[in-house]
Amino acid sequence: MHIITFANRKGGVAKTTSAWAVGECLAHAGNKVLLVDCDPQMNLTQCLPEVDLTRSLTQVIDGLGASLVDVMQPVRDNLWLVPAAPTLAAAEKVLGADAMYALVLRNAMEGLANRIDYLIFDTNPSPNSPLALAAITAADRVFIPTSPEFFAFNGLQSLLELVERIKKNFAPGLQVGGLFLTKYAANYRRSLHHQFVETMHEHPSLGQLLMTTTIRENVAVAEAQVQRQSLFEWAPTCAALQDYESLTTEIITILAE
């Protein structure tokens, strides 16, 4: 079982969309995929078919001993969801008082390896989120979506430093799988975006993590999410699906290294 966390300390960079789309692509290819919504905003939960919110991530982190297997629910062929519920924000505050909160998701994975090929955590952008830290701690690889903007760049270094601290203290096998650009294509006529990308490539630590695939803006993504459909169902020929299929292939290659 491969364990992936999508993370960024800035909102609006298509983090949830990337977790959703990559999960859908993996499942469509025949892999068994579990998505876990670690964001109290519930965006990932709200763009998938409706499930029972009395069985959610809250029950995993509230100290009552539920595992991810206990609360995972099918949403499509080969695709399951551990949803976020309205109770998650309060449960996360309580979790933050537990000295071992960083390990809560890693310890909740018992029984998954025989059922799931890919486990994907979606996180919120808060730098102080106990759940985001726990999701990074539980992962084999962290993938970082970022938009080509100055303020997005500022948070990347601090996120890499956080991953290094987690690796040192909790998860020696943890690695950053890569960093990929969203809301961007090489043929976009936005000179500031291209300057940002050039700066990224030249950066001593970020440049080597930059992935080949970039994700173009596409209205079909928001439309599919509102309809709680996959891109395969809503817009099977759209540019966003082409890009996310390429990203998924690149992620699979990185995981195999």
Side-chain angles (χ1 to χ4, degrees):
M1 180 174 69
H2 297 288
I3 307 168
I4 301 168
T5 294
F6 287 89
N8 195 313
R9 287 190 154 184
K10 184 181 183 301
V13 295
K15 176 178 49 56
T16 294
T17 292
S18 297
W20 165 76
V22 169
E24 295 274 15
C25 288
L26 288 167
H28 189 262
N31 301 285
K32 293 180 172 58
V33 181
L34 173 61
L35 295 170
V36 181
D37 189 349
C38 297
D39 187 348
Q41 295 182 81
M42 301 174 56
N43 290 344
L44 180 60
T45 299
Q46 291 168 347
C47 66
L48 288 161
E50 291 187 39
V51 294
D52 178 8
L53 295 185
T54 65
R55 295 171 53 211
S56 72
L57 188 60
T58 298
Q59 282 69 52
V60 175
I61 70 169
D62 65 3
L64 297 180
S67 68
L68 294 175
V69 169
D70 295 328
V71 297
M72 61 188 281
Q73 301 178 55
V75 288
R76 300 195 214 285
D77 290 346
N78 298 321
L79 186 65
W80 289 261
L81 171 67
V82 172
T87 54
L88 186 59
E92 184 180 23
K93 289 181 180 179
V94 175
L95 174 67
D98 186 336
M100 299 302 291
Y101 72 83
L103 302 176
V104 65
L105 295 177
R106 182 194 291 182
N107 293 340
M109 294 191 293
E110 185 176 354
L112 274 181
N114 295 327
R115 300 170 181 241
I116 295 298
D117 301 311
Y118 292 89
L119 170 57
I120 299 176
F121 292 104
D122 178 39
T123 61
N124 68 33
S126 170
N128 300 313
S129 166
L131 269 177
L133 193 148
I136 295 172
T137 302
D140 301 320
R141 297 287 188 278
V142 177
F143 288 92
I144 306 170
T146 185
S147 54
E149 300 166 358
F150 174 74
F151 292 112
F153 182 86
N154 278 349
L156 293 176
Q157 274 294 111
S158 64
L159 179 57
L160 294 181
E161 291 167 3
L162 174 64
V163 171
E164 281 301 311
R165 291 198 300 273
I166 292 172
K167 180 176 181 177
K168 179 179 179 180
N169 294 312
F170 299 108
L174 176 65
Q175 295 184 44
V176 175
L179 187 155
F180 61 94
L181 290 161
T182 61
K183 306 178 184 180
Y184 176 78
N187 61 356
Y188 281 3
R189 295 181 179 180
R190 301 174 187 174
S191 59
L192 283 176
H193 285 190
H194 297 312
Q195 291 173 24
F196 174 90
V197 174
E198 184 177 340
T199 300
M200 290 276 290
H201 277 289
E202 294 173 352
H203 194 278
S205 58
L206 298 177
Q208 61 186 347
L209 296 173
L210 202 58
M211 298 169 68
T212 301
T213 305
T214 62
I215 309 297
R216 289 168 284 182
E217 292 183 283
N218 194 303
V219 69
V221 170
E223 293 172 346
Q225 291 173 332
V226 168
Q227 299 298 323
R228 295 181 179 256
Q229 293 188 1
S230 71
L231 288 171
F232 293 97
E233 296 168 309
W234 181 257
T237 62
C238 74
L241 180 55
Q242 296 170 19
D243 293 344
Y244 274 115
E245 287 193 295
S246 296
L247 178 67
T248 301
T249 298
E250 190 170 358
I251 286 174
I252 291 171
T253 301
I254 291 169
L255 294 174
E257 291 175 353

